[in-house]
Amino acid sequence: LMRLSLDKALAVGNELEVEAINGTQHIVLTPSLAAQCGYSMESDPWGNTRIYSSLLGCYVDNQDDQTFNVGLRLRMYGPSGSDVVTHDVTQTCSYTRWASREILCDRNYMEVGYLTSIFTFYTPEPVSMVLREAEQAGYGAMVTSTRLVMRSPYNTAETYSGDVSNTDIKFASTIGLSLTGGVLFNNNVISWHVPRRVTQLVDGSFEILEMHMGINGKRLDRSQMAARGYMLSATDFHIVIEIPVGSHAPDYQYHISYIVEPMLELLWRTTDTQDNTRYKVLFPITTPLMLQPPLVQENTVPEARVFSVLLGPLLHDVVLRNITFFTRVLTVEESNARGFTVQEHRYSNGTKSIAVLVPFDNPEPLVTTYFLSLIFGFIILPEETPFAHPVELQASLQDVELPTITGTCDQNQFYISVKYGSQGNNFKAMVGLHHLTPEMADYQFHENSTHLSLVLPYTAKDTLITSESLRVRIDFFLLHTSNDWVLADLFLACNFPLRATKCYPNGTMTATAVKVDSVTNIIPSRLTLKDQSCKPAFSDDRFAYFSFSVASCGTTRTLFDHYMLYENEICIYCSLFSSRQTILCYYVVNETQTVGFSSQPRDYEPTAEIGSGQLTVQMRLAHDSLYELFYQAEDYPVVKYLRQPLYFEVELVESTDPNLELILESCWATLDEDRSSLPSWDIIVDRCENPDDSFVTIFHPVVSDARVLVPSHIKRFSMKMFTFTKDEEVLKDEIFVHCDAEICDSHSQAAGSCRGQCVQPAHQMNYRQERKGVKRGKQISSGPIVLTSGQTSE
């Protein structure tokens, strides 16, 4: 190749026409003729132009395939079209390293030179042509003193595409190939992957004798590659060129792109024929625009009273035009004239950074934090495209002693103390959103020449109750008297003991509901118990107080071994919402047993009567398939990845009867804590896994160990984490899992669930909609379980 570089100073603003000099003739190189005859041209966005001519081109004076005289005429037309400037360029090149087969892939054509005079096109069907037919089809064909040369533009009818090692390749007969893919890039590097073996060019074994890379058609040696950070390597399937990653500003933001034309040159020898093939590819690469805002490195030393900032890296074509200081815009020259030092630092890799030094400017006496807002205005050459980058600087200097605030709590009140700084009590005190004054009735307020003290109850109007337990927060600020700058602040949160529920021996319960800061839309007077006719006996804007009998207002009771549990709920529209406060009372059961006996013989054998009692079933989520560690109540919500296994264990507790067996009748997942809510998805149907689930539920065996005394009291299963979607949108990133369990006599011959867990074929199962008619035993739930990634599952 001969390469001609045309500087932007000649080309910008002009229309360029290239002619080939052939003796006394001048032939205009149209795009089709250039591709047919071995010429190509490339211009970058800055106006630099490169013209390549194959040494075996149509209009090159060839002396015995060793010396080549190339002539070009460049015509540059001005904007009006009438002004024409002509430059004739001639160059003599020599090349003697000819291989048996030379393959060249340029932007617009493929070229091959053989030491033979017979050629066949494979498309993939063979098509034979004589030289005149090939030229009429758009191919370049010529015979030199030692070689047959064929050249194919990429748009000929015989050109076809293929895939080699995941790289898109264009073929034109056996003369060559052009790579149109195989490029990977990120913000730091461009990787060009070329297949190491192309079966269309190499049939059989071969060895690579030479491997070189270059830029703009010029080969680089190892030292040049190392200086530029270029890498050339080979894997089992690819030859890889790595190039470290001018500049653009669409939408007024700084972007970068990289324009480069790497060259790959290989020389290989086939084992059977011992023929050499030299394969050269010129492959221009332009990366898409990548947003890359400059990084800001602040080096301010407050004691030096100078802001120092370093902005970069920036590419060579970025020029700092101005800097915006608060309300004024200064050029670089004006900034330096005012005593602000603006410097440009250039680095060996071609990038640069901007350093700015700005002194602190007449600070007010009470100001201890200094701020500097800058906007750097850049342009990108040569188009002078503007973009801006804002920078906020801040420095604190201990030139005054600021006031300090401390606080504590006891069981009823907050205690706040303020120690004055070097400016005395020259500040405004704020409690929440209100100014602190001695007239505030709820507060105990005292001050002297050095301190201020404040005592206030947790029920004061300026406190914030921040959780369902009685956790109360007070916000306290000291403000500058003239501009309301915050001099000091305190956010003090304390837990205060409050018995929200009280149980009385006469069967009366009282309960207090406290409005928390996170649910500002709740009105306490509208709260009710389960029976919505049971309203507060007293309420205000923060509290609701209930008093009721355990036999009223929808209160439920549960009998345990030695106590009775009464349970109710405080909520708004209890049947519609799951946000509620549960209230409980326990009463110890005292009972007297009477035993009777008779010495007379009985007429019949005693039989056991059907009785009733309470059996407790719990469902737990295990950390893994070992079922040794389980999540506790305080661990919820549990966070899992999509399709990560969830290991559940359901256990009958507080029983050692080996005749009892726990059976999971059905399990399903919902979006909400309400087990009857929709949508839902079946996990276990009629004691077996759901046959419609692509990720089938798995039952895990249970064996006796130190913890498991009766294996029949435990069932274990696992499922894959999923989430509900609608129209490819995630409805909610959490799920709740519910189960209906039954407990039966394992020795019973009766039909029903007592026949075991999943004992019938899947095609005989009853589906979820039929489960509503099944008599349920224990109802248990677990959740929420939260999906932690953005992936979804159908």
Side-chain angles (χ1 to χ4, degrees):
L1 285 170
M2 187 277 293
R3 184 189 71 185
L4 170 64
S5 298
L6 184 62
D7 189 81
K8 63 182 179 182
L10 296 175
V12 170
N14 298 315
E15 180 182 349
L16 176 63
E17 183 180 82
V18 182
E19 298 176 349
I21 301 176
N22 186 21
T24 59
Q25 295 181 314
H26 297 83
I27 299 93
V28 177
L29 294 176
T30 63
S32 59
L33 183 60
Q36 186 177 18
C37 286
Y39 296 88
S40 65
M41 183 171 67
E42 176 99 330
S43 297
D44 61 26
W46 299 275
N48 302 297
T49 301
R50 291 181 295 273
I51 303 171
Y52 293 90
S53 172
S54 169
L55 297 184
L56 299 177
C58 297
Y59 309 110
V60 177
D61 179 22
N62 183 340
Q63 304 293 327
D64 297 327
D65 288 337
Q66 296 185 11
T67 304
F68 307 88
N69 298 307
V70 185
L72 295 175
R73 171 167 290 183
L74 310 179
R75 291 183 177 272
M76 297 177 210
Y77 295 86
S80 62
S82 58
D83 299 331
V84 182
V85 178
T86 302
H87 295 276
D88 285 352
V89 180
T90 59
Q91 182 66 38
T92 299
C93 303
S94 62
Y95 189 78
T96 58
R97 304 189 306 272
W98 296 107
S100 303
R101 179 172 59 171
E102 293 270 349
I103 300 174
L104 171 65
C105 299
D106 205 341
R107 296 163 187 76
N108 52 346
Y109 68 87
M110 301 174 275
E111 177 185 281
V112 66
Y114 290 96
L115 290 173
T116 181
S117 59
I118 299 175
F119 57 94
T120 302
F121 288 96
Y122 295 92
T123 63
E125 297 296 329
V127 177
S128 297
M129 298 182 184
V130 299
L131 286 177
R132 179 173 298 178
E133 291 174 327
E135 291 174 348
Q136 291 175 349
Y139 296 94
M142 60 184 298
V143 178
T144 69
S145 60
T146 62
R147 310 183 69 78
L148 167 66
V149 180
M150 283 296 301
R151 190 177 301 106
S152 169
Y154 293 142
N155 58 357
T156 59
E158 289 74 25
T159 300
Y160 67 99
S161 298
D163 179 86
V164 178
S165 297
N166 296 321
T167 302
D168 293 328
I169 292 181
K170 286 191 177 182
F171 300 93
S173 81
T174 58
I175 69 169
L177 51 87
S178 169
L179 282 85
T180 60
V183 175
L184 304 174
F185 66 91
N186 54 35
N187 289 346
N188 301 315
V189 67
I190 299 173
S191 299
W192 177 28
H193 292 68
V194 179
R196 182 167 181 165
R197 178 187 184 91
V198 181
T199 56
Q200 287 82 351
L201 297 180
V202 181
D203 187 11
S205 60
F206 70 100
E207 61 174 328
I208 296 178
L209 304 179
E210 296 180 13
M211 185 168 62
H212 307 280
M213 77 159 291
I215 295 293
N216 299 330
K218 186 176 181 180
R219 184 191 294 180
L220 301 177
D221 58 30
R222 293 184 178 274
S223 60
Q224 292 171 318
M225 291 173 58
R228 301 186 187 187
Y230 298 156
M231 296 289 293
L232 176 63
S233 60
T235 68
D236 292 339
F237 301 100
H238 292 92
I239 308 296
V240 182
I241 291 178
E242 294 182 337
I243 302 172
V245 172
S247 304
H248 304 271
D251 300 326
Y252 211 52
Q253 291 181 310
Y254 184 55
H255 291 64
I256 67 167
S257 66
Y258 202 73
I259 301 173
V260 65
E261 185 187 64
M263 177 188 74
L264 175 64
E265 183 178 343
L266 301 177
L267 180 66
W268 71 71
R269 175 181 296 160
T270 56
T271 304
D272 52 351
T273 64
Q274 294 296 303
D275 290 335
N276 293 343
T277 296
R278 190 179 305 278
Y279 173 53
K280 184 180 295 184
V281 182
L282 301 175
F283 190 49
I285 299 173
T286 300
T287 66
L289 292 177
M290 296 173 285
L291 179 64
Q292 186 168 329
L295 300 178
V296 177
Q297 178 180 338
E298 185 175 355
N299 303 316
T300 301
V301 179
E303 288 71 20
R305 306 186 70 82
V306 174
F307 285 107
S308 176
V309 61
L310 189 67
L311 184 69
L314 302 167
L315 295 181
H316 62 88
D317 54 357
V318 177
V319 177
L320 178 63
R321 174 64 59 86
N322 55 56
I323 304 177
T324 302
F325 292 86
F326 295 107
T327 59
R328 75 184 98 178
V329 180
L330 300 179
T331 65
V332 174
E333 294 76 13
E334 292 171 338
S335 299
N336 284 316
R338 287 178 176 266
F340 309 149
T341 304
V342 181
Q343 298 175 326
E344 185 177 277
H345 300 285
R346 294 183 175 269
Y347 306 106
S348 58
N349 63 358
T351 64
K352 61 184 178 182
S353 60
I354 305 295
V356 179
L357 300 177
V358 180
F360 292 1
D361 187 20
N362 298 323
E364 296 184 25
L366 283 180
V367 175
T368 60
T369 301
Y370 299 86
F371 299 91
L372 180 64
S373 297
L374 305 177
I375 300 177
F376 290 84
F378 295 94
I379 60 170
I380 299 175
L381 300 176
E383 299 89 348
E384 297 191 358
T385 305
F387 74 95
H389 187 74
V391 175
E392 296 284 342
L393 302 180
Q394 175 180 327
S396 297
L397 186 62
Q398 297 297 324
D399 53 358
V400 297
E401 181 184 354
L402 295 177
T404 57
I405 310 174
T406 58
T408 60
C409 307
D410 62 13
Q411 293 189 357
N412 299 292
Q413 301 183 112
F414 291 100
Y415 299 88
I416 297 176
S417 178
V418 178
K419 180 183 178 182
Y420 302 157
S422 58
Q423 305 299 315
N425 62 351
N426 187 24
F427 52 76
K428 294 182 294 188
M430 300 285 296
V431 182
L433 301 177
H434 298 91
H435 289 279
L436 177 63
T437 63
E439 293 77 23
M440 288 185 171
D442 290 341
Y443 304 157
Q444 301 177 34
F445 176 79
H446 303 282
E447 63 178 332
N448 56 30
S449 60
T450 60
H451 288 78
L452 176 152
S453 64
L454 178 67
V455 179
L456 67 159
Y458 69 81
T459 56
K461 63 179 180 180
D462 294 304
T463 61
L464 297 173
I465 301 173
T466 59
S467 69
E468 291 186 2
S469 63
L470 202 59
R471 183 172 177 83
V472 185
R473 192 187 79 206
I474 185 69
D475 301 341
F476 192 77
F477 305 92
L478 300 181
L479 306 181
H480 192 278
T481 54
S482 60
N483 51 30
D484 286 344
W485 291 345
V486 176
L487 303 178
D489 55 43
L490 174 70
F491 302 93
L492 180 60
C494 301
N495 291 311
F496 293 94
L498 174 67
R499 294 186 61 187
T501 304
K502 292 184 179 181
C503 308
Y504 297 93
N506 64 353
T508 301
M509 295 174 62
T510 62
T512 302
V514 182
K515 179 180 177 180
V516 299
D517 188 49
S518 59
V519 285
T520 56
N521 59 332
I522 287 183
I523 301 174
S525 62
R526 296 184 181 179
L527 295 172
T528 71
L529 299 177
K530 280 186 177 180
D531 184 344
Q532 297 182 18
S533 64
C534 294
K535 299 181 179 180
F538 166 79
S539 64
D540 59 16
D541 60 345
R542 308 188 74 189
F543 297 92
Y545 175 79
F546 293 85
S547 179
F548 57 98
S549 167
V550 296
S552 64
C553 296
T555 307
T556 61
R557 67 178 182 176
T558 305
L559 177 63
F560 290 90
D561 290 341
H562 60 281
Y563 58 86
M564 183 76 73
L565 170 66
Y566 291 91
E567 181 177 356
N568 209 317
E569 294 174 346
I570 300 176
C571 51
I572 292 182
Y573 310 119
C574 294
S575 61
L576 299 179
F577 297 96
S578 60
S579 178
R580 60 197 69 193
Q581 176 180 336
T582 301
I583 52 179
L584 305 169
C585 273
Y586 296 87
Y587 291 94
V588 176
V589 176
N590 296 320
E591 59 182 23
T592 301
Q593 300 288 345
T594 301
V595 179
F597 67 93
S598 174
S599 60
Q600 296 179 358
R602 58 177 176 260
D603 297 330
Y604 54 88
E605 290 298 323
T607 58
E609 294 184 358
I610 297 176
S612 62
Q614 291 293 329
L615 294 173
T616 303
V617 176
Q618 68 175 5
M619 179 164 66
R620 296 189 293 176
L621 179 61
H623 284 259
D624 51 40
S625 60
L626 298 178
Y627 288 94
E628 294 178 349
L629 296 176
F630 297 88
Y631 293 99
Q632 304 301 314
E634 59 270 16
D635 299 327
Y636 286 86
V638 175
V639 179
K640 293 291 184 179
Y641 291 98
L642 183 65
R643 297 180 183 173
Q644 185 176 357
L646 304 176
Y647 298 97
F648 289 96
E649 178 181 276
V650 182
E651 180 183 7
L652 170 62
V653 297
E654 300 180 0
S655 175
T656 58
D657 187 349
N659 296 324
L660 297 182
E661 181 174 3
L662 173 73
I663 302 296
L664 295 179
E665 177 67 28
S666 57
C667 295
W668 65 99
T670 63
L671 278 176
D672 301 307
E673 190 175 1
D674 184 358
R675 59 195 286 114
S676 62
S677 63
L678 295 175
S680 66
W681 181 254
D682 287 317
I683 301 168
I684 296 176
V685 180
D686 199 7
R687 305 171 302 283
C688 295
E689 62 271 15
N690 181 7
D692 294 334
D693 198 338
S694 56
F695 300 98
V696 178
T697 302
I698 299 174
F699 289 102
H700 296 273
V702 182
V703 296
S704 298
D705 55 27
R707 184 177 71 86
V708 179
L709 301 179
V710 185
S712 63
H713 290 185
I714 295 178
K715 289 295 184 290
R716 292 170 177 169
F717 68 92
S718 63
M719 55 176 283
K720 298 292 182 65
M721 179 61 186
F722 73 97
T723 186
F724 290 93
T725 63
K726 182 178 181 181
D727 299 330
E728 299 183 356
E729 294 291 333
V730 176
L731 295 178
K732 199 174 183 181
D733 60 359
E734 66 181 26
I735 62 172
F736 293 82
V737 177
H738 317 273
C739 287
D740 285 342
E742 293 192 10
I743 302 165
C744 62
D745 184 355
S746 60
H747 298 291
S748 172
Q749 301 300 317
S753 60
C754 292
R755 62 183 180 270
Q757 189 79 50
C758 195
V759 296
Q760 58 179 340
H763 69 273
Q764 297 179 0
M765 295 179 189
N766 296 320
Y767 286 92
R768 172 72 183 276
Q769 58 269 26
E770 301 175 2
R771 191 185 67 239
K772 296 181 180 179
V774 176
K775 181 181 179 181
R776 298 178 179 175
K778 290 294 181 180
Q779 300 178 347
I780 44 183
S781 300
S782 179
I785 304 171
V786 178
L787 180 68
T788 187
S789 71
Q791 299 171 319
T792 62
S793 174
E794 296 182 357

